[in-house]
Amino acid sequence: MTLDYPSILFFLAVNNLFIMALFIYQYFFHHKQWYLMLVALGITFQTVAIVMYANRELFPPLLTLRLNNFLMISCFAFTSFGLVSFDGRMRKKLLWLFLVFAFLFYSAILIAEENYTLLSVIRIISCSFFYGIGAFHLFFNKNKYKFSILLGGVLSLYSVFQLFRAYNVTQIGKSYEFLQNSTFNNWFLIISILVISAISIGFIMLLKEVDQKTILKKNKIIERDKRKLEALNQTQNKLFSIIAHDLRSPFINILGLSDLLMDNIKDTDPESEKCTELINSTAKNTLNLLDNLLNWAKSQTGELGFSAEKINLSKVILHILELKMSQAQAKNISLIFSPTIDIELFTDKNILGTILRNLITNAIKFTNYGGHIEVVATTDQYQVEISISDNGVGMSEETIRKIFDLSTNVTLPGTANENGSGLGLVLCKEFVEKLGGRLWVESEVGIGSNFKFTLPLRISKPECAKAQLKWQ
């Protein structure tokens, strides 16, 4: 069988260029890993060596020979180390082994460069050595990738073939020429082209297999985390149920009993009446804290229901003031609300009630004995503005910046040393924003505070959905 060697070398160079382009594409668009560029660099060195050998008449013979051998040995080392490093691990011991043997092989070639047969044998053995080491690491990779084993098998066969070729070259002796028409040389070129193509395709498939296993592993982790989250969610729901029912019920009973007790001992036993009022006040504050905690937790998890309805604002405010009247009377605080017009708006009544209850409770807490709190509601054609002002202790600018941020944990004692969690104002701000409004405060130390918030007169169903998504 006679082959046109210049055409074969040209085809081999073109094949290598295609493989280089494939690896560069993989690097920039799929796997931006160093080992891809290392394999591409090895194939580039081989391509340059082929072009130089095909045009060796154009260069000084000794320079061509030395540079060609350097490129080929570098090609074997780079390609093999790049293939072995498909998992991204930098095997430093193996790298040092490759560097040492690359130096030894090239030094041996420089010593034997006048003996073309011995030079060829050293170059062939270097190819067998580097590919054989690469085959061993690929074949015995601990992850047992299918294409890693196949790739290791191909490299093993090619390494053995190169050893057989080296033996054949030694048998030919000084009459050996690389581009001499012979059956063995012909098969060598054909097998080399097939092996280079198989290695390149197999390596790409190996990377895809690694990706698939990585994705499968991540999916298992995601599924495991999902089950954990579901279990945590069930625990959370159970906790909410305990807060909503099992913890609230005793305090509601305490409130009912303390109210009944206060009615029975009113004006008969001042000491007992004082203690009963303290029990009642403590129970109310604790119940309010539980409600805030429950609402805040639900809002953070997106489980707080949103049900818009048409409401009369004055009735809602009067109802909240009535609930807070006993708390205000304990400090002789006047609650003032004088509606001038009936304002109707379309919003969530329960959330609005929570906002008003917390803002009025906060105002009572920081208003001195004998002070007053005024609630004012105004409207235009688009929105309503509600303000809760007091003549209490007021706040500094620094405190104003912190009160709506739960992470700062601003908890100041009230004028009667009332305690708090700092959760109420945070909850108010989030709830106002949930209803499509805005909350802010104007305050001066020693003069008082004025909490204001706006709400749209009507929030349509699409806007409700949008607000719910934004809230979550």
Side-chain angles (χ1 to χ4, degrees):
M1 181 175 64
T2 302
L3 296 177
D4 180 11
Y5 285 109
S7 299
I8 292 295
L9 291 177
F10 175 77
F11 177 77
L12 183 59
V14 171
N15 182 62
N16 284 357
L17 288 173
F18 171 76
I19 293 170
M20 288 160 51
L22 179 64
F23 275 81
I24 291 172
Y25 172 80
Q26 287 287 326
Y27 176 80
F28 283 105
F29 295 100
H30 292 283
H31 307 84
K32 204 162 190 177
Q33 300 290 343
W34 57 271
Y35 49 80
L36 275 170
M37 296 307 292
L38 199 62
V39 175
L41 184 62
I43 296 173
T44 302
F45 280 6
Q46 186 188 53
T47 307
V48 174
I50 292 170
V51 173
M52 284 190 66
Y53 190 85
N55 299 277
R56 57 191 180 280
E57 298 85 2
L58 303 176
F59 306 99
L62 186 61
L63 175 65
T64 303
L65 182 65
R66 289 177 176 177
L67 188 57
N68 189 275
N69 286 314
F70 172 79
L71 290 171
M72 290 304 295
I73 291 176
S74 300
C75 160
F76 304 146
F78 285 164
T79 303
S80 181
F81 190 78
L83 293 174
V84 167
S85 305
F86 72 92
D87 54 3
R89 288 178 55 200
M90 174 59 75
R91 296 170 172 82
K92 293 183 179 180
K93 291 183 179 179
L94 184 62
L95 177 61
W96 277 109
L97 179 70
F98 275 29
L99 289 173
V100 169
F101 273 88
F103 175 77
L104 292 176
F105 280 126
Y106 188 66
S107 298
I109 284 175
L110 292 177
I111 295 171
E113 62 185 7
E114 294 183 0
N115 187 335
Y116 186 75
T117 301
L118 181 58
L119 184 149
S120 298
V121 170
I122 294 172
R123 186 174 62 231
I124 295 168
I125 290 175
S126 72
C127 175
S128 176
F129 172 80
F130 288 118
Y131 284 168
I133 296 293
F136 175 82
H137 280 273
L138 286 167
F139 196 81
F140 293 101
N141 183 272
K142 64 179 182 179
N143 291 311
K144 300 297 181 183
Y145 292 107
K146 178 176 63 178
F147 280 98
S148 173
I149 296 172
L150 291 174
L151 201 55
V154 171
L155 286 176
S156 298
L157 292 175
Y158 190 63
S159 179
V160 172
F161 174 76
Q162 288 286 40
L163 288 176
F164 181 69
R165 179 173 168 239
Y167 172 78
N168 182 265
V169 170
T170 57
Q171 294 299 309
I172 295 174
K174 294 183 179 180
S175 61
Y176 171 76
E177 290 184 22
F178 176 58
L179 290 182
Q180 182 183 23
N181 265 313
S182 68
T183 302
F184 191 82
N185 273 341
N186 294 344
W187 278 111
F188 165 69
L189 288 172
I190 293 171
I191 291 173
S192 295
I193 293 173
L194 292 175
V195 167
I196 292 171
S197 301
I199 288 173
S200 303
I201 296 172
F203 190 55
I204 298 298
M205 297 304 295
L206 173 59
L207 296 180
K208 290 188 177 296
E209 184 182 0
V210 172
D211 284 348
Q212 289 174 353
K213 286 199 173 184
T214 302
I215 292 170
L216 182 62
K217 188 181 295 184
K218 288 183 178 179
N219 285 339
K220 288 182 179 179
I221 294 173
I222 291 171
E223 185 64 29
R224 183 189 65 198
D225 291 343
K226 180 183 175 184
R227 288 194 294 269
K228 287 183 179 179
L229 287 173
E230 287 175 349
L232 288 172
N233 193 48
Q234 290 176 358
T235 304
Q236 169 194 277
N237 291 337
K238 189 175 181 180
L239 177 61
F240 289 167
S241 177
I242 292 171
I243 294 173
H245 303 289
D246 298 350
L247 286 180
R248 290 182 82 255
S249 296
F251 285 102
I252 292 173
N253 292 335
I254 291 171
L255 279 174
L257 291 172
S258 61
D259 286 338
L260 182 61
L261 188 58
M262 281 193 299
D263 290 338
N264 290 335
I265 64 174
K266 190 174 183 181
D267 300 328
T268 60
D269 188 348
E271 189 66 28
S272 298
E273 184 178 0
K274 184 177 180 181
C275 291
T276 306
E277 287 177 355
L278 180 62
I279 292 171
N280 185 269
S281 175
T282 303
K284 283 182 178 179
N285 290 335
T286 307
L287 183 61
N288 186 58
L289 176 61
L290 285 175
D291 287 338
N292 284 340
L293 180 61
L294 180 64
N295 289 328
W296 180 80
K298 284 185 175 181
S299 72
Q300 296 304 300
T301 56
E303 295 181 3
L304 187 69
F306 185 94
S307 178
E309 59 180 297
K310 188 176 182 181
I311 63 172
N312 185 294
L313 181 59
S314 298
K315 290 182 179 180
V316 174
I317 294 174
L318 288 171
H319 175 67
I320 300 299
L321 291 176
E322 184 180 348
L323 293 176
K324 293 298 173 183
M325 187 60 69
S326 60
Q327 187 178 349
Q329 287 175 346
K331 296 174 71 173
N332 196 26
I333 295 172
S334 302
L335 298 180
I336 304 168
F337 175 59
S338 302
T340 54
I341 57 172
D342 281 339
I343 300 174
E344 291 185 339
L345 65 158
F346 191 77
T347 191
D348 189 291
K349 182 178 180 180
N350 292 327
I351 295 178
L352 176 59
T354 301
I355 296 167
L356 290 169
R357 186 171 64 249
N358 276 287
L359 290 178
I360 294 171
T361 299
N362 184 75
I364 294 172
K365 177 181 177 182
F366 293 104
T367 300
N368 293 306
Y369 285 83
H372 66 267
I373 296 169
E374 184 175 9
V375 181
V376 177
T378 59
T379 184
D380 57 25
Q381 58 180 331
Y382 301 109
Q383 64 181 13
V384 60
E385 180 179 302
I386 303 169
S387 68
I388 295 96
S389 60
D390 61 67
N391 62 343
V393 296
M395 292 179 288
S396 64
E397 290 293 332
E398 183 180 357
T399 303
I400 291 174
R401 286 194 297 269
K402 294 179 179 179
I403 57 174
F404 296 120
D405 185 0
L406 188 61
S407 62
T408 57
N409 194 26
V410 176
T411 54
L412 301 174
T415 54
N417 291 320
E418 301 100 324
N419 294 321
S421 63
L423 186 61
L425 292 178
V426 175
L427 193 66
C428 287
K429 187 174 188 298
E430 292 187 2
F431 277 12
V432 168
E433 290 174 355
K434 180 178 177 65
L435 296 180
R438 184 173 70 91
L439 172 65
W440 71 99
V441 59
E442 300 168 357
S443 183
E444 289 186 46
V445 176
I447 296 177
S449 302
N450 188 5
F451 284 84
K452 298 181 179 181
F453 66 96
T454 59
L455 294 176
L457 287 176
R458 182 177 181 84
I459 180 168
S460 62
K461 288 185 178 180
E463 288 173 335
C464 289
K466 184 177 179 181
Q468 181 74 9
L469 289 173
K470 181 179 178 183
W471 180 253
Q472 294 178 2

